[in-house]
Each structure stands twice: as structure tokens, then as C-alpha cells.
Amino acid sequence: MEIKTDFLIIGSGIAGLSYALKVSETGKVAIITKKKDTESNTNYAQGGIAAVLSPSDSFDLHIQDTLKAGAGLSNEVVVRKVVESGPAAIQELIQIGVDFTRAKKELDLGREGGHSRNRVAHAADLTGREIESSLIRAIKSKKNIAIYEDHIAVDLITQHHLKGYQKKPEEKIKCWGAYVLDVRTGKVNKFLSKITLLATGGTGRIYLHTTNPAIATGDGIAMAYRAGAPVANLEFIQFHPTSLYHPEGNSFLISEAVRGEGGKLRLKSGELFMQNYHPSKELAPRDVVARAIDFELKKSGDNCIYLDITHLDKNFIKERFPNIYQRCLSLDFDITKEWIPVVPAAHYICGGIITDLEGKTDIDNLYACGEVAMTGMHGANRLASNSLLEAVVFANFAAETSRKFSKIEKGHKFPSIPEWSTKGVFDHKEWVIISHARQEIESLMWNLVGIVRSNSRLEMAKSRIDILLEDINNFYHQNPVTYEVIELRNITKVAELIIRSALLRKESRGLHFNQDYPQKDDRNWKKDTILKSR
Ligand code: FAD
Ligand code: SIN
């Protein structure tokens, strides 16, 4: 089957949906999403969205905080543009129906690590769900937007798919859409589009312990890299300091806003320790807090540390953190009376597909926005709650440019794109290989490419992932394409790219800490780590 559209959007989180709303004013839009429409990292965001929203704050302060967290690798021009676009983006979200928490009539602004002012707009501790459901409601009211649930993109369509194609030197790669598996029928269809947006989110599921939902398998980064788009800074993986440590609560985030409201981190003995690591203590930047916890856990051999908010008013806790309160209560502990057991977990990838200020990638007609992109905003470490902000603002920039393009391109013709080929494919029914390989990669990344790295651990990870990559590529080419195989292929590729990037960077900066090079080296390494396949 062949579906033709003006705009193909891969992903239905804040980036994809915000872009869809804007471009639907000029053309037909198809959104494909690999599970249900709301299933995304966006849907689980807790803390909120950062912007300059109070008279005691200023653009310069937000810019300085972002640059400081970015540890020398953020692009100041990008940071300024995003920060200055923040207040208008929040107003637009309010207009489409996002009900942010208010104190009297004003927005109630929270504080998180690295912010010098209260500037985080939130909807209690369910900000993501409020944003996602409001965007989906708005999308569903538009006639020319179609959402395809349970559709997973396999690969981008470029001239490399044309029969007999030979690339000419200096020729730019073009994108005409994507091959997409309809999970319900098992068929791979062609979605042809004038413009394609990758809004596939993050990579948390590459790690054993993560705050991310199951969709976060780095598909967009893998597809773009295979197609020939440069990717950058993949070594900068943000580990959130406080995810719940509980056999049934694995991957549940305990928002940084809990520390923003006065939560204290304690060792099992009750001792406070953050004062030994940073003057801002519990509200130090995330990389500092995550490394401090990692260090304390390695020293004590304990499984977790504790987040204590028992000194706060019980009713305030229930009102400010209803989701966290209820989730913990369902696991039989009451956070108004008991300390919360927490550990760090993989949370966010600062690197991604390189884009310009309009969200354009290096491939013609291909844009990328949100967590999948590397715009220059976050540098070596993302400031809390800057991610939803960057995603929505860049979706707006990208929509503005692509709308102009689609107007010029009326009467557009697609080349003759071949059907998905199943030549040489047999069902070997060796499905155990998939679950085994996935578990191995998650453990390998957690143990060897985690919060603290070393040359020997990274080299060990590299030699194993190279073997897995070859095995899984062979498996992919010999077996029918399924949801599980697509994700495994992408996870393996992105793991390999993260390891390669981490090996290249011979210093410690922001989220990348290598104990063999414990210092920052501005003379040689104040630059992005760029990888490209063609
Ligand atoms: P996502 O929201 O992740 O959406 C990606 C979409 O792509 C999904 O619909 C997915 O199904 C789809 N997809 C992926 N691969 C494919 C494929 N191959 N084919 C088809 N569809 C595909 N940031 C903040 O700024 N503030 C916060 O308070 C905050 N809290 C967070 C809490 C948690 C628990 C987590 C996990 C993250 C949090 N973040 C927060 C980070 C932030 O939520 C994400 O970075 C942001 O939501 C990413 O939005 P996105 O649109 O780029 O991707
Ligand atoms: C949180 O609520 O702690 C997550 C905020 C973020 O990742 O920006």
C-alpha cells in the first residue's frame, strides 16, 4: 500500500503534535506512532516546562542557567532564541487548553536543579499528561490530520532505495517519507511525503534502569544515521538522580520538583550528604547529584539512598504531588510519613540528529524536533524542564519553515519508490534471540557505559556491541520484519553510536565522566562529537 501526504510526522509526543497542529493549516498531515497516540515520554513528564514567566526572572538569567548546565557546549544563539520564545509558547499551550496549576490567578512556578529562579510551569506532577491530552484533543478536531496508531517506521526512504541508483559526488540525500510497518496487519507500507519530521523521542530503554516508557528506543536516531544524517553528542546521557527503587515500581520517576519543594537526600543512616558535593546541595545540577549518589552507593554497597519530604505539610504533599503520592501508596508506603527509596536511572539524551535553527537536518526534506534532535540547546547537560520547552519551540520554528516550502512545492511528483522487499526472508522462529540480545544490551550499557565510565569499560562494551550488531543485522535481513526486530536493530545501533561517541571524547564534561580523563579539556574538546554513516 502507498499513502501520499504533504507532511509525514513520525511520533506523537509534544514535538510531533505541536508541529502537526501548525502545518495542518497548509497541507495534509499523516502522524504515525508506534503504540497508542498518547504513549510517549511527553505523557510521563512530571516537573514541568521552564520559561521566563515572573517579574523577578529575566531572559538573561534563564540563558545563563542553561549555558552553565551545558558546560561549554550549548550554542548561545540557539539558547537565546529558545528562551526568548518560551513565554509565547506557554501562552499557546494555555490557549489549546493546557491547565497549568495556578496560585491565586498567577501560574504557580516550581524550582528545579540548576535554575536560579522559580520558572517551571506545571500541572501538579502530571504536566506531561495534561500537555499530551490537550494536544491530542486539538489534533482530533482537525480534518486534515490522520493519526495512524500501531504503525512503526522501519526506515526513511531516500534515493538509496531507488532501483539502480548510484550516488553522484556532492549530491545531497533526499527524503521522500518512510517504510512503515502496520503492526496489526504485519504489512510494510510506503508513506510518501513532501516533508518528513522525525519526532521519535529518546533512548532511555537502551539502559537497564530508566525513567522512560517502552517507546524510547532511539528509533529516529538510528533511522537518520542509516540514511546519512550526521548525529552528535550521543555520549551525553542524563541520569535522573531519583527514580523509585522498588521491585514493582521500576522506572517510576520521583520528580526533581520534590527536591525543589525542600526534599532532602539521605543515606540509609539518615545522614545528609549533598553538602559534601555542591553548594546548592539537593538542587545542584543533575549530573552532580547523580554522580554523588553513585559514589555514595558504591562506597556503602547499599542498593538505594532516600528522598525525605516528611517534614513538609501532609496536605501540601498530596496536592502538589498527587501522582507520586498515589503511586507510592499503591506500593504500600506513605511519602508523607516515610522516606522514598531512590536510585539514579537513564532519563534523557542530550545528543541526537544535528539540526539547524529551523529544525532542518542535513537530508533534504527531513526535519527533526524534540528529544531526537541535537539543536545546540542542551550542550553537555540539559537543564531540568528545558526539554519540553525546546521541543515545542523548535516544532514551531520547523513548522514555519516547512509551511513555506510546501507552498512552493505544489504539484510535487515522487520518484518511483519500490515496494518493501521480502527477498531472502524466512521465518526462523528464533525469537528467544531477540529477548536475550535486548537484555544483554541493556545490562551492558548500564554496567559499562553508565554514570561513571572508564576506557577499559568502554572498550569492553565496544567489542561486545560490534559482535551483537553484526548478528542482529544478519537476523534482521533474514527474518520477517516485526515490531520487536525493528526496535532491537535500532537499540543495538544507537548503543554502538553512544559507545563510539563516549570513546572519542577524551575528557570529562557535563554528563560524560571518564575516570581516565577526569578533567574538562577546553583546548581540545570544547566541540561536538559528530558521527556520520555516508
Ligand atoms: P516523545 O514524547 O517521547 O514522543 C515520541 C513519539 O515517537 C512517541 O509517540 C513514540 O511512540 C513515537 N515513536 C518512536 N519511535 C517510533 C517509530 N519507529 N515509529 C513510529 N513512532 C515512533 N522534560 C521536561 O522538560 N520537563 C519535565 O518535567 C520532564 N519530565 C520527564 C519525566 C519523565 C518520566 C520522562 C521519561 C521524561 C521527562 N522529561 C521532562 C523529558 C521530556 O518528557 C521529553 O524529552 C519530551 O517529552 C520528548 O518529547 P518528544 O516529542 O521529542 O518525544
Ligand atoms: C522531573 O520532574 O524531575 C523531570 C524534569 C525534567 O526531566 O526536565
Side-chain angles (χ1 to χ4, degrees), residues 44-48 112 238 240-242 253-259 286 347-348 382-388:
Y44 297 89
Q46 293 186 358
E112 291 176 37
Q238 185 168 70
H240 198 291
T242 58
L253 178 75
I254 307 293
S255 175
E256 190 153 317
V258 172
R259 279 174 283 135
R286 269 186 201 167
H347 182 61
Y348 185 86
R382 174 181 67 102
L383 190 64
S385 289
N386 261 357
S387 144
L388 292 172

Side-chain angles (χ1 to χ4, degrees), residues 66-67 69-75 79 232-233 236 348-351 374-383 390 509-511 528:
T66 303
L67 293 175
L73 288 194
S74 297
N75 177 335
V79 173
N233 293 353
F236 297 116
Y348 185 86
I349 186 157
C350 292
M374 202 294 282
T375 63
M377 172 80 180
H378 307 307
N381 187 13
R382 174 181 67 102
L383 190 64
E390 184 216 34
R509 178 188 297 271
L511 298 163
D528 297 328

Side-chain angles (χ1 to χ4, degrees), residues 37-315:
D37 52 14
T38 52
E39 193 52 12
S40 57
N41 272 8
T42 302
N43 201 40
Y44 297 89
Q46 293 186 358
I49 173 163
V52 174
L53 298 162
S54 88
S56 65
D57 200 359
S58 72
F59 290 144
D60 282 339
L61 284 172
H62 191 180
I63 291 164
Q64 283 320 313
D65 292 346
T66 303
L67 293 175
K68 201 166 155 196
L73 288 194
S74 297
N75 177 335
E76 192 167 344
V77 176
V78 173
V79 173
R80 180 167 292 281
K81 219 172 153 201
V82 173
V83 165
E84 290 181 355
S85 308
I90 301 279
Q91 274 315 315
E92 280 193 43
L93 287 172
I94 293 171
Q95 267 156 24
I96 64 152
V98 177
D99 188 14
F100 289 112
T101 301
R102 292 184 183 259
K104 300 197 179 129
K105 285 199 172 138
E106 300 301 316
L107 288 175
D108 177 49
L109 300 177
R111 172 84 68 107
E112 291 176 37
H115 287 278
S116 59
R117 291 287 185 278
N118 281 32
R119 61 167 76 99
V120 182
H122 62 95
D125 57 353
L126 286 162
T127 311
R129 194 190 295 179
E130 177 63 20
I131 292 177
E132 182 75 23
S133 60
S134 305
L135 284 167
I136 289 282
R137 253 194 325 273
I139 291 279
K140 290 199 166 153
S141 71
K142 301 276 178 192
K143 281 209 179 69
N144 52 348
I145 304 181
I147 303 192
Y148 296 81
E149 292 183 320
D150 297 311
H151 278 64
I152 178 166
V154 187
D155 260 324
L156 296 168
I157 298 173
T158 64
Q159 54 269 62
H160 299 94
H161 293 97
L162 302 180
K163 285 212 175 84
Y165 169 74
Q166 301 230 306
K167 187 173 183 283
K168 301 178 197 84
E170 305 306 316
E171 184 190 0
K172 272 206 90 181
I173 302 171
K174 293 188 183 60
C175 177
W176 292 294
Y179 287 110
V180 178
L181 173 74
D182 177 343
V183 182
R184 294 173 200 171
T185 62
K187 291 263 172 333
V188 176
N189 300 317
K190 285 183 283 179
F191 278 71
L192 303 185
S193 57
K194 286 184 199 165
I195 290 182
T196 303
L197 174 78
L198 281 170
T200 48
T203 58
R205 284 281 157 168
I206 291 175
Y207 283 88
L208 188 61
H209 302 292
T210 175
T211 62
N212 289 193
I215 53 95
T217 52
D219 299 2
I221 293 176
M223 285 189 278
Y225 178 82
R226 283 195 293 268
V231 296
N233 293 353
L234 300 178
E235 66 275 33
F236 297 116
I237 304 288
Q238 185 168 70
F239 291 84
H240 198 291
T242 58
S243 94
L244 185 63
Y245 178 74
H246 191 282
E248 289 162 49
N250 198 8
S251 97
F252 184 72
L253 178 75
I254 307 293
S255 175
E256 190 153 317
V258 172
R259 279 174 283 135
E261 298 291 357
K264 299 280 173 231
L265 293 172
R266 296 186 186 278
L267 301 176
K268 192 162 75 183
S269 61
E271 195 189 326
L272 298 169
F273 58 92
M274 274 313 299
Q275 70 283 358
N276 303 330
Y277 292 91
H278 197 277
S280 303
K281 301 178 198 165
E282 275 77 3
L283 286 179
R286 269 186 201 167
D287 58 323
V288 176
V289 185
R291 270 199 300 279
I293 297 174
D294 186 68
F295 185 78
E296 291 294 338
L297 290 179
K298 281 185 178 138
K299 197 165 70 174
S300 64
D302 291 339
N303 291 325
C304 63
I305 53 114
Y306 296 87
L307 180 54
D308 173 15
I309 47 165
T310 55
H311 55 286
L312 300 181
D313 177 72
K314 187 175 170 172
N315 292 326

